[in-house]
Amino acid sequence: MSLLVHGAHQVVTPTGSDARRGPELGALTIRPQAVVRCEHDRIVFIGEEVEHRRQFGEPDDLLDACGGCVLPGFVDPHTHPVSAGSREDEFDRRLRGETYMDIARSGGGINSTVRATRKASSKELLATTLDRLDRFLAHGTTTIEAKSGYGLDLETELRMLEVIRDADGMHPIDLHPTCLAAHEIPPEYRGDPETWVQRLVDEIHPEIAGSGLAEAVDVFCEEGVFDLEQTRRLLADADRFGWRIHLHADELTPLGGAELAVDLGALSADHLMCVTPEGVAALARSETVAVLLPGTSFFLRSPWAPARALVDAGCAVALATDCNPGSSPTESMPVILALATLGMGLGVAEAVTASTLNAAAAIGRADEIGSIEEGKRADLIILDAPTFHHLVYHFGINLVRHVVKDGRVVVRDGLPTVHR
Ligand code: NIG
Ligand code: FE
């Protein structure tokens, strides 16, 4: 099976198989009028049309970019895509002055989604997750990291991870599952959080590791949730379980989560709205990717993460939606790019690398995805606009016209081609 993407105004991509840093973050390769040939799930050629004709025969399928811009599919390295219910009531409460933590402590927040998710059947959870994946795909995302964390008991956490596994098998998007059983203190342990930490360590994490349903683990390291010492204990067995580490770090308070993530050799430290200069310096010296989630700052009306300082210090910076019902209910990476540029001060080219190659590095997959290069997976998007700048310039509009995943056209003219 071969596919030729032709008729592009430009083919734009970062290059390499690890995260780009500092001045290299904005170094995109721009090939005017290039064609891209995919065979099976791989990219085999990028270059001039005449050269393609010399080297290859007729492809099985053609996709006309109609003067649009071709980019790598977005990789979203931080999402909470499985949940039931919604929290628009909290949106209104926040507009009237309550904070995210006020609402959480009064029974809302994560625990309100936990109540709804525990009650939902696996079939219902799968159906709403697949709907969400359709929206991710329509906005150009071809791979996501996917967290559990709205069960906060063994049975529901396992059910969430099974939903992620089943959705991965049924949907074109690739899902990388993360166990986030340590997302909050569940209501039954409110008065005794220490017993919850010990249950996670002794029973829940080992059982989930044994199920093989997660490839990574995450903890919400935050004042009033899990402190540094508890987070360290929660992650002590990660290596033994074969789990990579992501960490919700320095989101609402400067606890030192970034430094802890580096110390533990985490794949990523995420949020970082309150990261300290010491945390920035620690990240800059490490391989840990700083995953920034400007949708959360926008939606909670809280400060932006210091994106410029992180990039300029030499940290590996990536972008993600944080898609979840409480603090960032969006599946759209183009919205995140708009916020990353206009809100956090990244350049457009920097935001493109941060949401493709560096985002792939944040889930340990930069050798396979995140750029348009021969040998990489054929995950591409074609914009209904000539240059990549339109992604943020023409804001609030979905410019993604076609999506190619693993060498197959899965969105054509804005419509899914794979029906389930
Ligand atoms: O990444 N910070 C913790 N977890 C999510 C919010 C989840 C929720 O509010 O439901 C986050 O922002
Ligand atoms: Fe999150």
Side-chain angles (χ1 to χ4, degrees), residues 179-196:
C179 166
L180 179 56
H183 195 191
E184 193 26 311
I185 321 289
E188 37 312 354
Y189 290 96
R190 227 330 116 210
D192 186 14
E194 192 39 47
T195 304
W196 172 238

Side-chain angles (χ1 to χ4, degrees), residues 78 80 248 271 322:
H78 183 136
H80 307 249
H248 279 70
H271 283 292
D322 196 18

Side-chain angles (χ1 to χ4, degrees), residues 271-286:
H271 283 292
L272 305 172
M273 276 122 87
C274 298
V275 68
T276 60
E278 294 73 33
V280 174
L283 285 167
R285 286 191 302 267
S286 78

